[in-house]
Structure formats: C-alpha cells, structure tokens
Amino acid sequence: MNATKQAQTPQPRPLPPAPSNMNEAWTTVVRRGGRKAQASLDPRLVPAAAAPQAMGRTVAGTKKKGRKPRKPRAPRSAAVVLELLPAAKEKGLTYGEVMAQARCSVDIDAIGVEGGIRVRHTANGARLLECPGADSGVAADKLATRLREILPDSQVVRIERPVRMAEIKVTGLDECATKVEVAAAIASQGNCALAQVKVGELRSCYSGTFTVWARCPVQAAILLATPPQGRPADSPGKLRVGWVIAHVQLQEARPWRCLRCFGTGHGLARCPSSVDRSGLCFRCGQPGHKAASCTAAAPHCVLCDAVKRRALF
Ligand SMILES: [Zn+2]
Ligand SMILES: [Zn+2]
Ligand SMILES: [Zn+2]
C-alpha cells in the first residue's frame, strides 16, 4: 500500500538536457579562427555569454512591431492661449483688436521667441500662440506674463500657458516616503514647478516597498525616466526621495477621454453622444460617487455594457 502511494505521488519531471548548441557555438568559433566576424552573424554561433542579450533584443524588436507603445514625446513648441471671455463681447472687444494691442506692446524678439509665433484657432475660437522650438518654454512663460500685464483684466481676457503633461511610475519607495516629499523630489530633480506636479496615493508592494503614479510636464517626466549614462535604454531612471533612490518609468500616453460619455477621442465640450454619464463612477459605472472613492470589488466598464445590450436587443 505504501509502495502504491509512493508511486502515485507526482515525481518532479526530469529537466531536459542542457542545450548543447551554446557549447557548439564556442567550439565552432574557436575552430573557425580567423572567420569570427562572419561566424557571429549566424545566431547559432553567438558565444553563450552574449546570447541571452541578443535574444532579448530580438524579442523587444518584434514586440514593438506588434503594438507600438505610445510613449510621450517632448513637445516641439510651447504655447500661450489667449481667450476672450463673455465680458469682452459685452464690451465689444474683438480678437483683432486684442491681437493688435498685443503685437504693438510686446517685443517677442526681446522675450527670446526665435523664428516668430504661429497663431492658430482653438476649438472654442480662442487664439493659440505657438512659440517654436523644444526649449521655448521659458520664452512662452515670458510672453504669457507680458500679455497679462498689457491686456485688460482677467475677467475679460484669459491668458493660459498650457503645458503638456505625462505620467510616470515611481517604484522602490520606502515606508516613510510621503506624497509631498515625492512631489518635491520630482519638481527639483525634474526641473519643473511644484505646482505642475500631481502625485497619487502611495501603494505598498509585495516586496515591502511603495509605488506611486505621478503627473508632471513631459520634459520633466522624460528627464527623470532617462536611465543613467552607461545603462541600457530600457532601464529605469532614478529619483532620490529621502534616503532612497527610487526608480522612474515613463508611462504610455493615455487616450483622450470624454468626461461626459466616457468615450475616447473627443472632449466634454464636443461630445456627440446622446448619453450623459457624467454623474456615474468612471470605475464601476454606478451613480453617487467618483472613481477616486470607489469601493466596488471589481471595475465594471459601462461602455462595454452598452455595446453588449445593443447586440442583444
Ligand atoms: Zn463624449
Ligand atoms: Zn465606483
Ligand atoms: Zn470596456
């Protein structure tokens, strides 16, 4: 009886024999001697030490082709938005007049805008003043400040300096790290204003460390997520928080989401949907609370639900 029981207990499967081609590669390379360069082109002939790295590279390459990651890129220009508010209409003020006033009062060359400004119209008719160049942020800041000085008060003309944001994941934080501390570290080491940094809730991981997601200007995110010199391109960047050196990874750009219908590709102001879901929780689809305070055990997608219902009836 004992013997049968023993026979029934599953035995660990014997490991397959170690691949022999690695050794073969070595011997082949050695045997061929002078033709090393040609031999290394054959994947079977790559020396054992180099093989895993080479394989990793090919895997990463094919992955990229299948589903291209939408990593945020640094903006090639910086913009200032000039918008006439309803009070301007009451006063009979037009964009033409305001733009003319701006042009004769602000010397853009003195501010440091090189190559002129491109003026475009936004969806709601406001003017988008684009300063070309990846490092034109400072000039755009100055332009916004000057426009606020010379144009009528903020109840009539709104001057905004929109900054493109990106999301980063900070891992490896210790238990004494706080949101405030992480935000301060991102601002000082990412070279951006503290007001532009938003840090989420810290979450504990299996390893006992903490992880947090944060939003900051794209340039800061790219700077922080850049691996230290000499490290592979896919390794994380570093962020010093307190005593700890945490890791920073740039997150994929998320699709533009409508706050009214939860659909993608358009904003609240131009929502074409007949359904208003703005009162529902984005995570579980129930009314009465928001996603940040959602206690539902599992997320529930209302968009998929609507598609299913349409298919049934
Ligand atoms: Zn919508
Ligand atoms: Zn919910
Ligand atoms: Zn869905």
Side-chain angles (χ1 to χ4, degrees), residues 23 28 31 36 63 68 79 90 99 133 179 182 187 194 232 237:
N23 292 328
T28 320
R31 214 189 303 134
K36 260 182 199 167
K63 220 188 219 171
K68 50 179 175 183
E90 287 165 22
M99 288 299 288
K179 284 166 71 171
V182 174
L194 185 59

Side-chain angles (χ1 to χ4, degrees), residues 258 260-263 266-267 271-273:
C258 173
R260 187 173 166 274
C261 74
F262 296 175
H266 65 270
C271 181
S273 176

Side-chain angles (χ1 to χ4, degrees), residues 261-263 273-277 280 285 300-313:
C261 74
F262 296 175
S273 176
S274 57
V275 191
D276 187 347
R277 299 191 175 94
L280 305 181
H300 181 87
C301 176
V302 284
L303 292 181
C304 291
D305 223 30
V307 170
K308 260 182 248 159
R309 217 174 301 146
R310 232 174 285 144
L312 278 172
F313 300 110

Side-chain angles (χ1 to χ4, degrees), residues 79-110:
V80 175
V81 172
L82 186 155
E83 186 187 1
L84 291 188
L85 299 173
K89 216 176 237 174
E90 287 165 22
K91 287 188 177 182
L93 211 60
T94 66
Y95 276 106
E97 286 164 3
V98 174
M99 288 299 288
Q101 192 187 342
R103 208 170 65 182
C104 62
S105 318
V106 182
D107 182 357
I108 60 162
D109 293 313

Side-chain angles (χ1 to χ4, degrees), residues 117-282:
I117 286 173
R118 221 169 70 193
V119 181
R120 294 200 295 179
H121 294 204
T122 69
N124 66 349
R127 298 297 183 266
L128 189 76
L129 315 177
E130 261 186 347
C131 307
D135 48 0
S136 56
V138 178
D141 284 340
K142 283 185 191 166
L143 177 62
T145 308
R146 273 299 284 149
L147 288 174
R148 285 195 189 103
E149 284 166 9
I150 58 128
L151 292 176
D153 66 300
S154 55
Q155 303 297 311
V156 180
V157 183
R158 187 178 67 99
I159 303 294
E160 199 87 50
R161 169 78 179 87
V163 176
R164 216 200 291 170
M165 306 291 268
E167 218 170 344
I168 51 172
K169 184 183 176 188
V170 183
T171 55
L173 293 161
D174 66 356
E175 59 240 305
C176 23
T178 63
K179 284 166 71 171
V180 175
E181 225 177 2
V182 174
I186 289 171
S188 68
Q189 291 162 58
N191 224 346
C192 65
L194 185 59
Q196 293 174 319
V197 181
K198 272 199 188 118
V199 178
E201 297 298 327
L202 280 101
R203 288 155 199 243
S204 61
C205 302
Y206 297 115
S207 55
T209 61
F210 285 77
T211 293
V212 76
W213 276 263
R215 273 175 75 76
C216 61
V218 175
Q219 277 106 331
I222 290 173
L223 177 66
L224 291 171
T226 302
Q229 248 184 352
R231 302 280 303 153
D234 57 350
S235 51
K238 286 179 175 180
L239 180 73
R240 172 88 187 268
V241 181
W243 284 6
V244 170
I245 293 179
H247 285 170
V248 180
Q249 279 164 306
L250 197 58
Q251 301 298 289
E252 277 181 32
R254 287 197 215 171
W256 190 19
R257 214 88 208 233
C258 173
L259 294 172
R260 187 173 166 274
C261 74
F262 296 175
T264 54
H266 65 270
L268 181 69
R270 294 194 150 191
C271 181
S273 176
S274 57
V275 191
D276 187 347
R277 299 191 175 94
S278 52
L280 305 181
C281 165
F282 188 71

